Amino acid sequence: MQVNLPPDTTSENGLSGPHLAQMFDTHPNHGEVIEIADGIWWVRIELSGVPSHVNVYILRGSTGWILVDTGNNTPDSREAIERVFQSPTFCNAPLQYVIVTHFHPEHIGLAGVLCGPKTKLICTRSCWATTKLLCIPSAGDRRPEQVEFMKLAGLAGIDLEAFFRSGNRKFREVVAPLPDSFFNIGQGDILKIGGRKWAVEIGHGHAADHVTLWSDDQFLISGDQILPGISSNLSVPPSEPDSDTVAQWIDSCVRLGALSSPETKCLPGHNMPFTGVARRCEQLKENHIKAIDRLLNHLTIPRKAVDCLQAVYRRDLAPNERGTLIAETVGYLNHLRNRGCVQRQLVNNAYIWSRISSAADDPINTNASFEAKKVFCI
Ligand SMILES: [Zn+2]
């Protein structure tokens, strides 16, 4: 969830240039599998809406299966996953662990259904806690800080009323409540799964503490942190309204791109597996920087965030994506403010943003603090 089509300026499948190559000509059909390598399978689950599908992966552990990401908690996705695990390849061993890359619905939706006494959940604490929070019944209504966030961005009148009425119920409709205990993983941890060691590298900017998994034989399960063809949304969460999701994203693109090699085989959360991770990380950084440059030029005249969407995205926006894109535009504005390029002034309960004529162009990156290393043998 929460991926934008533009401003990605690469080719149709996002694999332009000599350093990028798609690993397969076709993808599995809904609820079917393709064996990527010994002990790694790719399952594709079709979704209604945007994004149109999600990729999940099955890993062979020493005594059972490990599922990475799950699909939504909908009858279609549930039936697809059940069918896979009842098939001849997988029916003779139990599903022992579900690893979730991040808390967005199509990645975590079924975890609460699949996990139980014999199937344990593995994710970051941020992922678990955020999902728990969004699944409590009172979270169905817009919280005061969400409404305040949109007011400050310039939403008003019937648009603000519509935002208030739309609520947060969609999340709970497609995400099952999580178990009350889980295995917490973080930066630098190692998962020993079957014959492989997978290193946990945490990405930032798209979702709180996003897990990526790097195997010792050059496979990378990247979730939405590194995607071909689409740019992950960098929405600012209303709970952290001044956060610089762009700096977090750029920092992750640089760090993860440098970890990769030409042989790294990226298994993404959406679209097709590919090689060329370093180049793709550069593109993912550049796509957002181009959008930010357009925004900066637009702010020679002072404006509210809501009045910048057309300049940033340059396309017709569907009503149901406006909230997400406003939150991402606030991320761009926060980044420009941290760079000393724009300033904001509170006028009638909304921020008016304007370019500072002497603005410097040096980007600022944040440094995340990481937890102690752990090793899990599963
Ligand atoms: Zn996703």
Side-chain angles (χ1 to χ4, degrees), residues 117-195:
K118 294 180 179 169
T119 305
K120 301 299 182 188
L121 174 65
I122 299 176
C123 61
T124 65
R125 186 177 292 131
S126 302
C127 174
W128 180 81
T130 305
T131 306
K132 279 289 200 186
L133 184 67
L134 291 171
C135 281
I136 60 176
S138 60
D141 298 324
R142 293 292 187 194
R143 300 186 303 277
E145 64 270 24
Q146 287 180 295
V147 176
E148 179 67 12
F149 180 85
M150 284 299 173
K151 273 189 196 168
L152 290 170
L155 212 60
I158 55 171
D159 288 339
L160 187 62
E161 282 173 29
F163 171 77
F164 185 79
R165 275 201 311 275
S166 64
N168 302 317
R169 280 168 284 280
K170 183 73 183 157
F171 188 90
R172 286 177 60 223
E173 285 170 11
V174 292
V175 177
L178 292 184
D180 289 336
S181 68
F182 70 107
F183 288 98
N184 174 34
I185 53 172
Q187 172 65 30
D189 289 344
I190 301 292
L191 302 172
K192 292 183 177 175
I193 300 175

Side-chain angles (χ1 to χ4, degrees), residues 1 3 51 102 104 106-107 206 224 270:
M1 195 177 167
V3 287
H102 64 295
H104 292 163
E106 78 272 22
H107 300 269
H206 174 58
D224 287 356
H270 305 277

Side-chain angles (χ1 to χ4, degrees), residues 15 19-23 262-266 273-277:
L15 299 176
H19 305 295
L20 296 157
Q22 201 164 287
M23 289 168 55
E263 286 72 44
T264 302
K265 296 171 274 292
C266 185
F274 69 100
T275 57
V277 170

Side-chain angles (χ1 to χ4, degrees), residues 1-3 47 51 53-55 69 101-102 104-107 206 210 223-225 227 230 232 269-270:
M1 195 177 167
Q2 297 188 4
V3 287
L47 307 170
H53 68 278
V54 62
N55 299 324
D69 286 348
T101 57
H102 64 295
H104 292 163
E106 78 272 22
H107 300 269
H206 174 58
H210 187 305
D224 287 356
Q225 191 70 40
L227 288 173
I230 45 179
S232 299
H270 305 277

Side-chain angles (χ1 to χ4, degrees), residues 60-78:
R60 184 174 54 225
S62 48
T63 56
W65 306 113
I66 291 89
L67 178 66
V68 183
D69 286 348
T70 69
N72 285 326
N73 180 27
T74 58
D76 265 6
S77 296
R78 216 166 32 235

